[in-house]
Structure formats: structure tokens, C-alpha cells
Amino acid sequence: MERELTICPCCGKKGLEYRNRRHWVCPACGFDLYNNVAAASGIIFYIDDGSLIFARRAKEPKLGMLDLPGGFTDPDETMAQTCVRECFEETGISISPEKLEFVANFPNTYEYKGIQYKTCDFFFAYRLDTELFEQFKAQKEEVTEFVAVKVDSVEDVDKLPLAFVSARAALKAYVTKRDASRNA
């Protein structure tokens, strides 16, 4: 469900107009408000045995479904900085931004409290030692648990109960790239 703004936050008059699916204009005072796309990042943690690490969501949207550690980018933050910060917040583990491998980026829709936010999600892969995975501590507000899942093919990705379409697309891109590099 999308909610409309109808009252101008600048002059307080009714009649705020919504244009082009992202822009509100007040005809009374000329106030402009843009609903721009938010940036977010996700980390595809992989272990040498082919397992990928997923977080089980502790809250809506998509409570209980699998997700990749990550989140929204803060102002003045790079995508790599977002990955490092979100990883630490959600897992308690510090990672090196230099070891992040860009995988892909995809658009997504993130619904929160009845409002749909359009995002552009950037995904990175990160090789993880098994010992480091064993040290993950779930941020209880965000994650109920971390699970390692063996993903051998794109078809395996389709079977996962993933929370977001952008994560599914990123995992397929990752598996495709991984398999191509193994066969090269």
C-alpha cells in the first residue's frame, strides 16, 4: 500500500501534487520534494566448500526468510563502507573492504510500515574462513540466526526462501561468475 502526501510541509496548504512517480510539487508555494532511490548493500559470504552464509530475518519485512547481511547506505558512505559497517552491526565481525569483490547491482522494492521504498542494491562477495563464520553473533533486532547453505547451481538459488528479488538476482549472478571462473 502506498501512502500519499497531500499537505505541503513548507506552507501547510493542501493540494500537494505527485508527479512522475517520484516528485511532489506544491502549486501554492513551489515546494519540491523528490523521492529518490535509496542505496543498499548486501554481502555474499562464501566458504571454500561452496556454502553461502545467510541471515534469517528477525523482523518485517519478510520475517523469517533468508537474507544477505547488509543494509541501507548512510549519508557520505561508500558501498564498501556500508558493507563493513552493516557486517559488523549484524554479525559482530570486522571485514576488510579491500577483500570485497563486486558482484552486481539490482533494483528492489523494500516495503516498510506500508510504504514502498525503491532501492538500488549493490552486492559484494567475500571469502570467509569457517572459523570466522563460527564467531558470528546475530544482532537480535535484525537476525535470528545465520545458516550455511551449499549452493551448487543457479537452480539451487531458486529453491532458497529469499526475502528479496534483488538478492536472488545477485546470487544467480554470483553463482554464474563463480562457475565460469572454475571452468576457465
Short mmCIF file of all heavy atoms in Angstrom, two decimals, residues 95-134:
data_model
loop_
_atom_site.label_atom_id
_atom_site.label_comp_id
_atom_site.label_asym_id
_atom_site.label_seq_id
_atom_site.Cartn_x
_atom_site.Cartn_y
_atom_site.Cartn_z
N ILE A 95 35.33 -6.89 8.76
CA ILE A 95 35.87 -7.38 7.50
C ILE A 95 36.69 -6.29 6.83
O ILE A 95 36.53 -5.11 7.14
CB ILE A 95 34.75 -7.88 6.54
CG1 ILE A 95 33.78 -6.75 6.18
CG2 ILE A 95 34.03 -9.08 7.14
CD1 ILE A 95 32.79 -7.11 5.09
N SER A 96 37.53 -6.70 5.91
CA SER A 96 38.40 -5.78 5.19
C SER A 96 37.71 -5.31 3.90
O SER A 96 37.36 -6.14 3.06
CB SER A 96 39.71 -6.48 4.84
OG SER A 96 40.47 -5.67 3.97
N PRO A 97 37.54 -4.00 3.72
CA PRO A 97 36.89 -3.53 2.49
C PRO A 97 37.67 -3.87 1.23
O PRO A 97 37.09 -4.03 0.16
CB PRO A 97 36.78 -2.02 2.69
CG PRO A 97 37.77 -1.68 3.75
CD PRO A 97 37.94 -2.91 4.60
N GLU A 98 38.99 -4.05 1.35
CA GLU A 98 39.81 -4.38 0.19
C GLU A 98 39.53 -5.79 -0.35
O GLU A 98 39.83 -6.08 -1.49
CB GLU A 98 41.31 -4.27 0.53
CG GLU A 98 41.77 -2.86 0.82
CD GLU A 98 41.46 -2.41 2.25
OE1 GLU A 98 41.32 -3.27 3.15
OE2 GLU A 98 41.34 -1.19 2.46
N LYS A 99 38.95 -6.64 0.47
CA LYS A 99 38.67 -8.02 0.06
C LYS A 99 37.26 -8.20 -0.50
O LYS A 99 36.89 -9.30 -0.89
CB LYS A 99 38.90 -8.97 1.23
CG LYS A 99 40.36 -9.05 1.63
CD LYS A 99 40.56 -10.05 2.75
CE LYS A 99 42.03 -10.15 3.13
NZ LYS A 99 42.23 -11.11 4.23
N LEU A 100 36.49 -7.12 -0.55
CA LEU A 100 35.15 -7.20 -1.13
C LEU A 100 35.27 -7.32 -2.65
O LEU A 100 36.05 -6.60 -3.27
CB LEU A 100 34.32 -5.96 -0.78
CG LEU A 100 33.88 -5.84 0.67
CD1 LEU A 100 33.38 -4.43 0.94
CD2 LEU A 100 32.80 -6.86 0.97
N GLU A 101 34.51 -8.24 -3.23
CA GLU A 101 34.50 -8.45 -4.68
C GLU A 101 33.13 -8.03 -5.22
O GLU A 101 32.12 -8.65 -4.87
CB GLU A 101 34.72 -9.93 -4.99
CG GLU A 101 35.93 -10.55 -4.32
CD GLU A 101 35.82 -12.07 -4.26
OE1 GLU A 101 35.23 -12.69 -5.16
OE2 GLU A 101 36.33 -12.64 -3.28
N PHE A 102 33.09 -7.00 -6.05
CA PHE A 102 31.80 -6.56 -6.59
C PHE A 102 31.19 -7.67 -7.43
O PHE A 102 31.86 -8.28 -8.26
CB PHE A 102 31.98 -5.29 -7.44
CG PHE A 102 30.68 -4.83 -8.06
CD1 PHE A 102 29.71 -4.23 -7.28
CD2 PHE A 102 30.44 -5.01 -9.40
CE1 PHE A 102 28.52 -3.81 -7.84
CE2 PHE A 102 29.24 -4.60 -9.97
CZ PHE A 102 28.28 -4.00 -9.18
N VAL A 103 29.90 -7.92 -7.22
CA VAL A 103 29.18 -8.95 -7.97
C VAL A 103 28.23 -8.31 -8.97
O VAL A 103 28.32 -8.55 -10.17
CB VAL A 103 28.40 -9.90 -7.03
CG1 VAL A 103 27.54 -10.88 -7.82
CG2 VAL A 103 29.36 -10.64 -6.11
N ALA A 104 27.30 -7.49 -8.49
CA ALA A 104 26.28 -6.89 -9.36
C ALA A 104 25.44 -5.91 -8.55
O ALA A 104 25.58 -5.83 -7.33
CB ALA A 104 25.37 -7.99 -9.92
N ASN A 105 24.60 -5.18 -9.24
CA ASN A 105 23.61 -4.35 -8.56
C ASN A 105 22.27 -4.50 -9.26
O ASN A 105 22.22 -4.71 -10.47
CB ASN A 105 24.05 -2.89 -8.46
CG ASN A 105 24.22 -2.24 -9.79
OD1 ASN A 105 25.14 -2.57 -10.52
ND2 ASN A 105 23.36 -1.31 -10.11
N PHE A 106 21.19 -4.43 -8.47
CA PHE A 106 19.85 -4.62 -9.00
C PHE A 106 18.86 -3.72 -8.28
O PHE A 106 19.03 -3.43 -7.09
CB PHE A 106 19.39 -6.08 -8.79
CG PHE A 106 20.20 -7.07 -9.56
CD1 PHE A 106 21.23 -7.76 -8.97
CD2 PHE A 106 19.94 -7.30 -10.91
CE1 PHE A 106 22.00 -8.68 -9.68
CE2 PHE A 106 20.70 -8.21 -11.63
CZ PHE A 106 21.73 -8.89 -11.02
N PRO A 107 17.80 -3.30 -8.98
CA PRO A 107 16.75 -2.54 -8.30
C PRO A 107 15.94 -3.46 -7.40
O PRO A 107 15.89 -4.67 -7.61
CB PRO A 107 15.90 -2.00 -9.45
CG PRO A 107 16.13 -2.95 -10.58
CD PRO A 107 17.53 -3.47 -10.40
N ASN A 108 15.30 -2.87 -6.40
CA ASN A 108 14.50 -3.64 -5.46
C ASN A 108 13.39 -2.74 -4.91
O ASN A 108 13.47 -1.52 -5.01
CB ASN A 108 15.38 -4.14 -4.31
CG ASN A 108 14.72 -5.21 -3.47
OD1 ASN A 108 13.87 -5.95 -3.93
ND2 ASN A 108 15.12 -5.28 -2.22
N THR A 109 12.38 -3.35 -4.34
CA THR A 109 11.34 -2.63 -3.62
C THR A 109 11.35 -3.13 -2.19
O THR A 109 11.30 -4.34 -1.95
CB THR A 109 9.95 -2.87 -4.25
OG1 THR A 109 10.00 -2.40 -5.61
CG2 THR A 109 8.87 -2.11 -3.50
N TYR A 110 11.45 -2.21 -1.25
CA TYR A 110 11.51 -2.55 0.16
C TYR A 110 10.31 -1.90 0.83
O TYR A 110 10.22 -0.69 0.91
CB TYR A 110 12.82 -2.00 0.74
CG TYR A 110 13.10 -2.40 2.17
CD1 TYR A 110 13.78 -3.58 2.45
CD2 TYR A 110 12.69 -1.61 3.23
CE1 TYR A 110 14.05 -3.94 3.76
CE2 TYR A 110 12.96 -1.97 4.54
CZ TYR A 110 13.63 -3.14 4.79
OH TYR A 110 13.90 -3.51 6.08
N GLU A 111 9.36 -2.73 1.27
CA GLU A 111 8.18 -2.19 1.92
C GLU A 111 8.40 -2.15 3.42
O GLU A 111 8.78 -3.14 4.04
CB GLU A 111 6.95 -3.03 1.61
CG GLU A 111 5.68 -2.38 2.13
CD GLU A 111 4.41 -3.05 1.68
OE1 GLU A 111 4.39 -3.60 0.57
OE2 GLU A 111 3.44 -3.03 2.45
N TYR A 112 8.14 -0.98 4.00
CA TYR A 112 8.30 -0.80 5.43
C TYR A 112 7.15 0.03 5.97
O TYR A 112 6.92 1.14 5.49
CB TYR A 112 9.64 -0.13 5.73
CG TYR A 112 9.92 0.07 7.19
CD1 TYR A 112 10.19 -1.03 8.02
CD2 TYR A 112 9.89 1.33 7.75
CE1 TYR A 112 10.43 -0.86 9.37
CE2 TYR A 112 10.15 1.51 9.10
CZ TYR A 112 10.41 0.42 9.91
OH TYR A 112 10.66 0.58 11.24
N LYS A 113 6.40 -0.55 6.89
CA LYS A 113 5.25 0.10 7.52
C LYS A 113 4.29 0.67 6.49
O LYS A 113 3.80 1.80 6.60
CB LYS A 113 5.71 1.18 8.49
CG LYS A 113 6.46 0.61 9.69
CD LYS A 113 6.73 1.65 10.74
CE LYS A 113 7.41 0.99 11.93
NZ LYS A 113 7.61 1.92 13.03
N GLY A 114 4.02 -0.14 5.45
CA GLY A 114 3.04 0.24 4.46
C GLY A 114 3.53 1.19 3.38
O GLY A 114 2.77 1.58 2.51
N ILE A 115 4.79 1.56 3.40
CA ILE A 115 5.34 2.46 2.39
C ILE A 115 6.36 1.68 1.57
O ILE A 115 7.22 0.99 2.11
CB ILE A 115 6.01 3.70 3.02
CG1 ILE A 115 4.96 4.50 3.80
CG2 ILE A 115 6.67 4.56 1.95
CD1 ILE A 115 5.53 5.67 4.57
N GLN A 116 6.25 1.78 0.25
CA GLN A 116 7.20 1.11 -0.63
C GLN A 116 8.34 2.04 -0.99
O GLN A 116 8.13 3.12 -1.52
CB GLN A 116 6.49 0.64 -1.90
CG GLN A 116 5.56 -0.50 -1.66
CD GLN A 116 5.02 -1.08 -2.94
OE1 GLN A 116 5.26 -0.57 -4.02
NE2 GLN A 116 4.29 -2.18 -2.82
N TYR A 117 9.55 1.59 -0.66
CA TYR A 117 10.75 2.34 -0.97
C TYR A 117 11.45 1.65 -2.14
O TYR A 117 11.63 0.44 -2.13
CB TYR A 117 11.70 2.37 0.23
CG TYR A 117 11.13 3.10 1.41
CD1 TYR A 117 10.39 2.42 2.39
CD2 TYR A 117 11.32 4.47 1.56
CE1 TYR A 117 9.86 3.09 3.47
CE2 TYR A 117 10.79 5.15 2.65
CZ TYR A 117 10.06 4.45 3.60
OH TYR A 117 9.54 5.12 4.67
N LYS A 118 11.83 2.41 -3.12
CA LYS A 118 12.61 1.88 -4.24
C LYS A 118 14.08 1.99 -3.88
O LYS A 118 14.54 3.03 -3.39
CB LYS A 118 12.31 2.65 -5.54
CG LYS A 118 10.88 2.48 -6.01
CD LYS A 118 10.60 1.04 -6.36
CE LYS A 118 9.23 0.84 -6.95
NZ LYS A 118 8.96 -0.55 -7.29
N THR A 119 14.80 0.90 -4.09
CA THR A 119 16.22 0.88 -3.76
C THR A 119 17.04 0.40 -4.95
O THR A 119 16.51 -0.21 -5.87
CB THR A 119 16.50 -0.06 -2.56
OG1 THR A 119 16.23 -1.40 -2.95
CG2 THR A 119 15.68 0.32 -1.34
N CYS A 120 18.32 0.69 -4.90
CA CYS A 120 19.29 0.10 -5.81
C CYS A 120 20.27 -0.63 -4.90
O CYS A 120 20.97 -0.01 -4.10
CB CYS A 120 20.00 1.16 -6.64
SG CYS A 120 21.10 0.41 -7.87
N ASP A 121 20.24 -1.95 -4.98
CA ASP A 121 21.02 -2.79 -4.08
C ASP A 121 22.31 -3.24 -4.76
O ASP A 121 22.28 -3.78 -5.86
CB ASP A 121 20.20 -4.01 -3.66
CG ASP A 121 18.93 -3.63 -2.92
OD1 ASP A 121 18.82 -2.47 -2.46
OD2 ASP A 121 18.05 -4.49 -2.78
N PHE A 122 23.44 -3.01 -4.09
CA PHE A 122 24.76 -3.38 -4.58
C PHE A 122 25.22 -4.61 -3.79
O PHE A 122 25.09 -4.64 -2.57
CB PHE A 122 25.75 -2.23 -4.37
CG PHE A 122 25.48 -1.05 -5.25
CD1 PHE A 122 24.46 -0.16 -4.96
CD2 PHE A 122 26.24 -0.84 -6.38
CE1 PHE A 122 24.20 0.92 -5.77
CE2 PHE A 122 25.99 0.24 -7.21
CZ PHE A 122 24.97 1.12 -6.90
N PHE A 123 25.76 -5.58 -4.50
CA PHE A 123 26.15 -6.83 -3.85
C PHE A 123 27.63 -7.11 -4.06
O PHE A 123 28.17 -6.91 -5.15
CB PHE A 123 25.32 -8.00 -4.40
CG PHE A 123 23.87 -7.85 -4.07
CD1 PHE A 123 23.00 -7.20 -4.93
CD2 PHE A 123 23.37 -8.34 -2.86
CE1 PHE A 123 21.66 -7.05 -4.61
CE2 PHE A 123 22.03 -8.20 -2.53
CZ PHE A 123 21.17 -7.54 -3.41
N PHE A 124 28.24 -7.58 -2.98
CA PHE A 124 29.66 -7.91 -2.97
C PHE A 124 29.82 -9.31 -2.42
O PHE A 124 29.06 -9.75 -1.55
CB PHE A 124 30.43 -6.93 -2.09
CG PHE A 124 30.38 -5.51 -2.58
CD1 PHE A 124 29.31 -4.69 -2.29
CD2 PHE A 124 31.40 -5.01 -3.37
CE1 PHE A 124 29.25 -3.39 -2.74
CE2 PHE A 124 31.36 -3.70 -3.83
CZ PHE A 124 30.27 -2.89 -3.53
N ALA A 125 30.84 -10.02 -2.90
CA ALA A 125 31.19 -11.33 -2.36
C ALA A 125 32.39 -11.17 -1.45
O ALA A 125 33.22 -10.26 -1.62
CB ALA A 125 31.51 -12.30 -3.49
N TYR A 126 32.48 -12.06 -0.47
CA TYR A 126 33.59 -12.01 0.49
C TYR A 126 33.92 -13.43 0.93
O TYR A 126 33.05 -14.14 1.44
CB TYR A 126 33.18 -11.17 1.71
CG TYR A 126 34.32 -10.78 2.60
CD1 TYR A 126 34.98 -9.57 2.41
CD2 TYR A 126 34.75 -11.61 3.64
CE1 TYR A 126 36.04 -9.19 3.23
CE2 TYR A 126 35.79 -11.24 4.46
CZ TYR A 126 36.43 -10.03 4.26
OH TYR A 126 37.48 -9.65 5.07
N ARG A 127 35.17 -13.84 0.71
CA ARG A 127 35.61 -15.17 1.12
C ARG A 127 35.77 -15.18 2.63
O ARG A 127 36.44 -14.35 3.21
CB ARG A 127 36.93 -15.54 0.47
CG ARG A 127 37.37 -16.95 0.80
CD ARG A 127 38.74 -17.27 0.21
NE ARG A 127 39.22 -18.52 0.72
CZ ARG A 127 39.80 -18.67 1.91
NH1 ARG A 127 39.99 -17.63 2.69
NH2 ARG A 127 40.21 -19.86 2.30
N LEU A 128 35.13 -16.15 3.25
CA LEU A 128 35.08 -16.22 4.70
C LEU A 128 35.70 -17.53 5.19
O LEU A 128 35.37 -18.60 4.68
CB LEU A 128 33.61 -16.15 5.14
CG LEU A 128 33.31 -15.94 6.60
CD1 LEU A 128 33.76 -14.55 7.05
CD2 LEU A 128 31.81 -16.08 6.82
N ASP A 129 36.61 -17.45 6.13
CA ASP A 129 37.14 -18.65 6.77
C ASP A 129 36.06 -19.24 7.66
O ASP A 129 35.31 -18.51 8.33
CB ASP A 129 38.37 -18.32 7.61
CG ASP A 129 39.55 -17.85 6.77
OD1 ASP A 129 39.71 -18.39 5.66
OD2 ASP A 129 40.29 -16.97 7.22
N THR A 130 35.98 -20.56 7.70
CA THR A 130 34.98 -21.25 8.51
C THR A 130 35.07 -20.82 9.97
O THR A 130 34.05 -20.62 10.64
CB THR A 130 35.15 -22.78 8.39
OG1 THR A 130 35.11 -23.12 7.01
CG2 THR A 130 34.06 -23.52 9.12
N GLU A 131 36.28 -20.62 10.48
CA GLU A 131 36.47 -20.22 11.88
C GLU A 131 35.83 -18.86 12.15
O GLU A 131 35.28 -18.63 13.22
CB GLU A 131 37.96 -20.17 12.25
CG GLU A 131 38.68 -21.48 12.11
CD GLU A 131 39.09 -21.81 10.66
OE1 GLU A 131 39.40 -20.88 9.88
OE2 GLU A 131 39.04 -22.99 10.31
N LEU A 132 35.93 -17.96 11.18
CA LEU A 132 35.32 -16.64 11.35
C LEU A 132 33.81 -16.74 11.35
O LEU A 132 33.14 -16.07 12.14
CB LEU A 132 35.81 -15.69 10.25
CG LEU A 132 35.59 -14.20 10.48
CD1 LEU A 132 36.21 -13.74 11.80
CD2 LEU A 132 36.16 -13.41 9.33
N PHE A 133 33.25 -17.60 10.50
CA PHE A 133 31.80 -17.79 10.49
C PHE A 133 31.31 -18.28 11.85
O PHE A 133 30.26 -17.87 12.34
CB PHE A 133 31.39 -18.77 9.38
CG PHE A 133 29.95 -19.19 9.45
CD1 PHE A 133 28.93 -18.26 9.51
CD2 PHE A 133 29.62 -20.54 9.47
CE1 PHE A 133 27.59 -18.65 9.58
CE2 PHE A 133 28.30 -20.95 9.53
CZ PHE A 133 27.28 -19.99 9.59
N GLU A 134 32.07 -19.14 12.48
CA GLU A 134 31.69 -19.67 13.79
C GLU A 134 31.67 -18.59 14.87
O GLU A 134 31.07 -18.79 15.92
CB GLU A 134 32.64 -20.81 14.18
CG GLU A 134 32.46 -22.03 13.29
CD GLU A 134 33.56 -23.07 13.44
OE1 GLU A 134 34.53 -22.84 14.21
OE2 GLU A 134 33.44 -24.12 12.76
#
